[in-house]
Amino acid sequence: MKSEPSCYSIDDLARDGVEPWDGVRNYQARNLMRDDMQVGDIAFFYHSNAKEIGIVGLMTIASAAYPDPTQFDKQEDHYDPKSTKENPRWLLVDVKFKQKFTDIIPLAVLKNDPAFADMALTQKGMRLSVQPVKEKHYKKIMKMVGQS
DNA sequence: GCCAACGTTGGC
DNA sequence: GCCAACGTTGGC
């Protein structure tokens, strides 16, 4: 799951503990949260659009998907006038801080490693903010950070 | 700051 | 339903 650290970083999550992952306004990403996530699942926290781009830590999914309240709030950047409370368009999940890696796993490292050639994150033009992660990629990354 | 890639919008 | 125009994402 991607976030721009200038907006919300792993350190922010470490401080907050649990946080609603709001602002997702892409149907594919929404569907992944709705259909493919379960409470207790582990997710990577990815920093995009930053000085250091890459995977910075782990979190756990702490809720099922539910309507993102920011879509109803005119003051919010992610306000969606076409969404209604009766039929909300956008969902979010709560995420819980699990761990910050000692060192970031840079995107460039993943792109240069053939083991990650079939990872969604390393595909050209990939901008999906919520992506599925294969078990083998998860395991490899945990090895890289010294946990296996 | 640039720009390629992608998603969405809206006219027809 | 097509597709050009536009807006956004996000690496570099």
Side-chain angles (χ1 to χ4, degrees), chain A residues 36-51:
Chain A
D36 292 338
M37 285 186 180
Q38 294 189 324
V39 173
D41 282 353
I42 294 174
F44 288 132
F45 196 126
Y46 176 89
H47 280 176
S48 65
N49 249 318
K51 237 178 208 170

Side-chain angles (χ1 to χ4, degrees), chain A residues 19-146:
Chain A
E19 183 74 5
W21 196 265
D22 60 25
V24 173
R25 296 294 181 268
N26 171 285
Y27 291 106
Q28 209 181 333
R30 180 204 65 185
N31 294 349
L32 283 165
M33 291 194 291
R34 186 189 59 198
D35 304 332
D36 292 338
M37 285 186 180
Q38 294 189 324
V39 173
D41 282 353
I42 294 174
F44 288 132
F45 196 126
Y46 176 89
H47 280 176
S48 65
N49 249 318
K51 237 178 208 170
E52 291 188 296
I53 294 163
I55 298 171
V56 290
L58 301 177
M59 50 198 177
T60 50
I61 304 306
S63 80
Y66 64 94
D68 180 344
T70 65
Q71 71 195 302
F72 307 122
D73 185 348
K74 284 188 177 137
Q75 312 301 326
E76 286 282 347
D77 286 346
H78 294 106
Y79 172 64
D80 184 348
K82 291 177 188 164
S83 185
T84 64
K85 292 197 177 178
E86 293 71 34
N87 190 17
R89 184 180 287 199
W90 305 114
L91 304 173
L92 59 72
V93 294
D94 291 342
V95 296
K96 182 166 182 283
F97 177 77
K98 181 173 173 67
Q99 174 188 357
K100 180 184 176 181
F101 294 154
T102 310
D103 297 301
I104 189 171
I105 306 279
L107 177 62
V109 167
L110 300 178
K111 283 192 167 172
N112 285 329
D113 188 334
F116 298 104
D118 59 340
M119 190 182 194
L121 189 62
T122 61
Q123 306 310 303
K124 191 184 175 193
M126 170 54 68
R127 359 177 271 188
L128 197 57
S129 66
V130 178
Q131 301 176 10
V133 177
K134 292 179 166 67
E135 174 108 35
K136 60 175 179 177
H137 294 144
Y138 169 73
K139 284 183 173 164
K140 182 103 200 274
I141 285 167
M142 294 314 284
K143 264 186 194 159
M144 291 163 71
V145 298

Side-chain angles (χ1 to χ4, degrees), chain A residues 2-10 12-13 15-16 19 22-23 45 47-50 77-78:
Chain A
K2 298 183 187 175
S3 180
E4 301 190 16
S6 63
C7 177
Y8 195 82
S9 73
I10 184 94
D12 293 323
L13 185 61
R15 179 199 62 216
D16 296 336
E19 183 74 5
D22 60 25
F45 196 126
H47 280 176
S48 65
N49 249 318
D77 286 346
H78 294 106

